[in-house]
Amino acid sequence: MATESSDAPEPYPEFLDHVRRVSYLNDAGSVLGWDQQVTMPEGGTPARSKQSAALSSVTHDLLTDEHVGEWLADLDGDDLSPDQRAVVREVRREHERATSVPEELVSEISETASNALPVWEQAKADDDFEAFAPTLEEMVELKREYAAAIDPDRDPYAVLFEEYEPYLGLDTAERVLERLRDELVPLIEEIEASDVDLADPFTGEYDPDTQEELVRAALDELGYDWDRGRLDTAPHPFSSGTQFDARVTTRFDPEDPLGALGSTIHEFGHATYTLGLPDDQYGTPLGESRDLSVHESQSRLWENHVGRSRAFAD
Amino acid sequence: MATESSDAPEPYPEFLDHVRRVSYLNDAGSVLGWDQQVTMPEGGTPARSKQSAALSSVTHDLLTDEHVGEWLADLDGDDLSPDQRAVVREVRREHERATSVPEELVSEISETASNALPVWEQAKADDDFEAFAPTLEEMVELKREYAAAIDPDRDPYAVLFEEYEPYLGLDTAERVLERLRDELVPLIEEIEASDVDLADPFTGEYDPDTQEELVRAALDELGYDWDRGRLDTAPHPFSSGTQFDARVTTRFDPEDPLGALGSTIHEFGHATYTLGLPDDQYGTPLGESRDLSVHESQSRLWENHVGRSRAFAD
C-alpha cells in the first residue's frame, strides 16, 4: 500500500506507527465498552470506569504528543502520495482538536460516562427519568466544557457535531433534514387521512428464545460473517468493533418481535460497513469510518430497504 | 488510608496516581485477554494482538518512565508510613525489572502470545502438538531473551520464576516440592498396592447444560458474589479480574462431570482471593495479589479441602 511505501518522506513510518498505536488503544477502549454493556457484572463499574479513563488519558496523551505536531509540520509538503496525504489530513484534524482539550477533562468525561451507564440502565428499567437527570446534567456540563475548550466562540452543538461529521457542516445537515421534514410530514398526514389498509402490528407474546432464532436466521440469510462477529443482547442495541471483529447487539421485547428483528438488521448494516474496511489499513484513518452519516445510511439501507422489503420477508 | 494521607512526602500523591494508571491499563489488558479467550470471534485475532501489544507497550513505557525513577529516589527516605513503604518497594521492584527490558520485546511477546492463542486452541482440539510446536518454540525463545535482558548471568528459569514469586526463592520452592515428592510418591504407591476400596469414577455421559446447572448451584452454595462475577466457558479454565469483577471460567466434558465441578471450584478459590482484596486500594500494589503461591493455595484449598469433602457433597 502507498501508506507503507519505503519512499515515504522520512518521518512518515514513525508517524504512522504512532498513529496506529493511538488507534489500537482506542479500539481497546471500545472492547472495554462492549464488555461493560454486554457481559460485565454490575459490581465491576468502579474499576471499569478507572480503566476506561486511564485508556482515554493515555490515548489523548499520545495523540497530543509534541512529536505528532513536529511530524505533522514535517509532513506538510507535497511529496506525499494521495493515501498518505489523507492519513496526514485526518490525523492533523484529530491532533488539533485534541490539543485544545485538557487531558483531565478527557479522563473525567470517560470516567463519568462509564459511571453513568448503570445509572441510566436502572433508570430505564424503572422508567424513571428523574433518577438519571442529575447524571445527564453532569455529562451535558462536561460536554459543554469540552466544546468550549475547542472553540469558545461557537455554538457548542456545532463544535460537538464535528466529532461525528467533520466535513458535512451543520448547516448542510439542517438543510437536508428540513427538506425531509417538509416532504415527509405532509406525506404521513396524507397516508393517515386516506383509507388505505396499513399492515396490522403483531399482537401477542413471543418468547426471547424464538426471537433469537429468528434474528440469527435473518443474520445468516443476510450473510453476516460469524467468524468476525457475534450477536448478544444489550439494553440499547449497538454495534462496535473493527474490520476483524464487528459485533452486533439487540434486545428482545416479548410484545415486539419486529423490534429485535429491525434493530438486529440495523446493527448488521453498521457491522457490514465496518467489516468492509480494508484489513491492511487497520489502525490508520484509511481503515476507519470517517463520519457517522455514511455509517448510519448503511444501517438504514439494510434495515429499511432490505429488512422491510417483501422480497426479504418471503 | 495511610497511602492517601495528606502528610505523605511531596511526590507521593503524583507517584501514586501514576502507579494507579499503570495498574488500570494492566487490568484493561486483562479484560482484552478474557474477551479473547471467552467471547471474541476467531477472526478477531490480528486486531486483538495489535491492541494487546499496544497496551503492553504503553504500560511498559509508563512503568519505565524516568519520572518513576526520580520519584522512587525521592521516596527512599524513612518518612513513609508502612503502607507507603510497601507500595514504593513493590513499584521499585517492577520498575527495575521493566527498565531492563526493551519496549519492543515487551510488545513482541504480547503480540506473539495473542497470536499463539488460536494456534494452541486448534492444536489442542486436534490433539496435535506438532501444530503448536513452532509457536511454542518462538515463545520460549522470546522469554529467554526477556530473562537475559533482566539478568544474563542467571538461569533464565530462575529469573522468570520471580515474575510469579518475587520473594519465595526458587531454591525454597524446590526444597518444598522435593519434600512433597519424597512423601507423596511412596504414599500413592502404598495406596495402590493396598486392597482399600477407591471411589469408582463416574461413567456415562452428562450433557453440558446439566453440568452447568450443577456448577452454578455449587457456586451459589459456596457464596460466589454474582454481582462481581461471571461463569463462562473457555478451552482452559482460568479466572481473571479485580476485586470489583472477578470472573471464573470452566469447560464441560460430557464424560467427566467432576472435571467441570473441580475446575469451577478451583477458579472460585482464585476469584474469592481476588474479591477479598481491599476495594479502596484498587490500582495500588496493596490492592493486588503479590505472588502466585498464596493465590494458588487458596484455589487448591477450595478445590480439594472443600470441594472434595463429604460435607460439601452432602
Side-chain angles (χ1 to χ4, degrees):
Chain A
M1 297 296 297
T3 49
E4 310 275 5
S5 79
S6 55
D7 60 358
E10 185 262 324
Y12 192 80
E14 205 182 343
F15 163 77
L16 195 65
D17 274 354
H18 190 88
V19 167
R20 286 191 193 266
R21 177 177 290 191
V22 172
S23 175
Y24 300 151
L25 294 174
N26 265 327
D27 290 341
S30 148
V31 174
L32 262 57
W34 180 91
D35 181 85
Q36 184 172 8
Q37 290 183 67
V38 175
T39 56
M40 191 184 80
E42 203 186 316
T45 306
R48 180 56 46 86
S49 300
K50 294 294 187 187
Q51 294 154 8
S52 297
L55 252 176
S56 301
S57 257
V58 292
T59 310
H60 184 264
D61 277 353
L62 287 176
L63 187 55
T64 58
D65 192 294
E66 59 185 25
H67 288 108
V68 178
E70 290 162 17
W71 287 320
L72 287 169
D74 286 353
L75 292 167
D76 207 15
D78 44 17
D79 46 355
L80 295 170
S81 73
D83 275 7
Q84 290 166 349
R85 211 179 306 232
V87 169
V88 168
R89 182 189 66 229
E90 293 303 303
V91 174
R92 176 172 291 125
R93 183 169 55 75
E94 289 180 17
H95 171 75
E96 280 169 6
R97 269 180 93 87
T99 46
S100 315
V101 183
E103 186 224 297
E104 294 71 27
L105 182 57
V106 170
S107 169
E108 195 183 350
I109 288 176
S110 188
E111 184 165 354
T112 308
S114 173
N115 283 328
L117 185 68
V119 182
W120 170 76
E121 285 178 354
Q122 192 59 50
K124 181 176 154 71
D126 300 343
D127 197 12
D128 178 7
F129 175 73
E130 288 309 314
F132 184 57
T135 305
L136 180 61
E137 209 166 322
E138 198 183 344
M139 279 302 296
V140 169
E141 195 40 58
L142 288 170
K143 283 293 198 176
R144 279 184 191 280
E145 256 185 72
Y146 180 89
I150 293 169
D151 190 342
D153 300 325
R154 284 166 64 212
D155 173 34
Y157 185 78
V159 174
L160 294 171
F161 180 82
E162 289 167 358
E163 205 97 331
Y164 298 94
E165 287 302 330
Y167 299 105
L168 183 67
L170 183 54
D171 51 346
T172 308
E174 280 175 345
R175 198 157 35 79
V176 171
L177 291 171
E178 273 161 22
R179 167 131 188 232
L180 281 171
R181 188 190 56 200
D182 294 348
E183 305 266 351
L184 287 176
V185 171
L187 178 66
I188 290 165
E189 285 169 355
E190 213 174 296
I191 293 169
E192 282 174 343
S194 80
D195 53 1
V196 71
D197 270 344
L198 293 173
D200 289 326
F202 280 74
T203 52
E205 301 239 324
Y206 300 83
D207 83 275
D209 287 351
T210 311
Q211 291 194 34
E212 185 173 342
E213 272 176 48
L214 172 71
V215 302
R216 284 190 181 273
L219 288 173
D220 282 340
E221 186 66 26
L222 293 166
Y224 186 46
D225 182 357
W226 292 105
D227 187 38
R228 294 189 179 200
R230 284 182 61 92
L231 171 73
D232 297 272
T233 61
H236 186 79
F238 71 104
S239 82
S240 73
T242 68
Q243 49 269 60
F244 293 95
D245 175 1
R247 306 178 185 184
V248 299
T249 60
T250 188
R251 63 180 165 207
F252 300 113
D253 174 351
E255 291 176 13
D256 180 20
L258 290 184
L261 187 63
S263 75
T264 304
I265 297 174
H266 179 100
E267 301 307 336
F268 163 82
H270 282 298
T272 298
Y273 178 102
T274 303
L275 290 170
L277 293 165
D279 285 4
D280 59 354
Q281 289 295 350
Y282 175 57
T284 85
L286 304 181
E288 281 165 15
S289 142
R290 200 182 61 177
D291 54 24
L292 202 59
S293 58
V294 177
H295 227 303
E296 197 67 21
S297 77
Q298 296 308 295
S299 63
R300 297 281 168 183
L301 178 79
W302 286 97
E303 178 186 5
N304 295 325
H305 294 269
V306 178
R308 293 183 198 275
S309 69
R310 180 168 297 273
F312 179 70
D314 291 344
Chain B
M1 298 295 298
T3 49
E4 311 274 5
S5 78
S6 54
D7 60 359
E10 185 263 326
Y12 192 80
E14 205 181 345
F15 163 78
L16 194 65
D17 274 353
H18 190 90
V19 165
R20 287 191 194 265
R21 177 176 289 191
V22 172
S23 176
Y24 300 151
L25 294 173
N26 265 327
D27 290 340
S30 149
V31 174
L32 262 57
W34 180 91
D35 180 85
Q36 184 172 9
Q37 290 184 67
V38 174
T39 58
M40 191 184 80
E42 203 186 316
T45 305
R48 180 56 45 87
S49 300
K50 295 293 186 189
Q51 294 155 8
S52 297
L55 253 178
S56 301
S57 257
V58 293
T59 310
H60 184 263
D61 277 355
L62 287 176
L63 187 55
T64 59
D65 192 294
E66 59 185 26
H67 288 108
V68 178
E70 289 162 17
W71 287 320
L72 287 170
D74 286 352
L75 292 167
D76 206 16
D78 44 16
D79 46 356
L80 296 170
S81 73
D83 274 8
Q84 291 167 348
R85 212 179 305 233
V87 169
V88 169
R89 182 189 66 229
E90 293 303 304
V91 175
R92 176 172 289 125
R93 184 169 56 74
E94 289 179 16
H95 171 75
E96 280 169 4
R97 270 180 94 86
T99 46
S100 315
V101 183
E103 185 224 296
E104 294 71 28
L105 182 58
V106 170
S107 169
E108 194 183 351
I109 289 175
S110 189
E111 185 166 355
T112 308
S114 172
N115 283 328
L117 185 68
V119 182
W120 169 78
E121 285 178 355
Q122 191 60 50
K124 181 177 154 70
D126 300 342
D127 197 12
D128 179 6
F129 174 74
E130 288 310 315
F132 184 57
T135 305
L136 180 62
E137 209 166 321
E138 198 184 344
M139 279 302 295
V140 169
E141 194 40 56
L142 287 170
K143 282 294 199 175
R144 279 183 191 281
E145 257 185 71
Y146 181 90
I150 293 169
D151 191 341
D153 300 325
R154 285 167 63 213
D155 174 32
Y157 185 80
V159 174
L160 294 171
F161 180 83
E162 288 166 359
E163 205 97 332
Y164 299 94
E165 288 302 330
Y167 298 106
L168 182 69
L170 184 55
D171 50 347
T172 307
E174 280 176 343
R175 198 157 34 78
V176 171
L177 290 171
E178 272 161 22
R179 167 130 188 234
L180 280 171
R181 187 189 58 199
D182 293 349
E183 305 267 351
L184 288 176
V185 171
L187 177 66
I188 290 165
E189 284 170 354
E190 213 174 295
I191 293 168
E192 282 175 342
S194 79
D195 53 2
V196 70
D197 269 344
L198 294 173
D200 287 327
F202 280 74
T203 53
E205 301 238 325
Y206 300 84
D207 84 275
D209 287 350
T210 312
Q211 291 193 35
E212 186 173 343
E213 274 175 48
L214 172 72
V215 301
R216 284 190 182 271
L219 287 173
D220 283 338
E221 186 66 26
L222 292 166
Y224 185 46
D225 182 357
W226 292 104
D227 187 38
R228 294 190 178 200
R230 284 182 61 92
L231 171 74
D232 297 272
T233 59
H236 187 80
F238 71 103
S239 81
S240 73
T242 69
Q243 49 269 60
F244 293 93
D245 175 1
R247 307 177 185 184
V248 299
T249 60
T250 187
R251 64 181 164 206
F252 300 114
D253 173 352
E255 290 175 13
D256 180 21
L258 290 184
L261 186 64
S263 77
T264 304
I265 297 173
H266 179 100
E267 301 306 337
F268 163 82
H270 282 299
T272 298
Y273 177 102
T274 303
L275 290 171
L277 293 165
D279 285 4
D280 60 353
Q281 290 295 348
Y282 174 57
T284 85
L286 303 181
E288 281 165 16
S289 142
R290 200 181 62 179
D291 54 24
L292 201 59
S293 58
V294 177
H295 228 305
E296 197 67 20
S297 77
Q298 296 307 295
S299 62
R300 296 281 167 184
L301 178 78
W302 287 97
E303 179 187 6
N304 295 326
H305 294 269
V306 178
R308 292 183 199 275
S309 68
R310 180 167 296 270
F312 179 71
D314 291 344

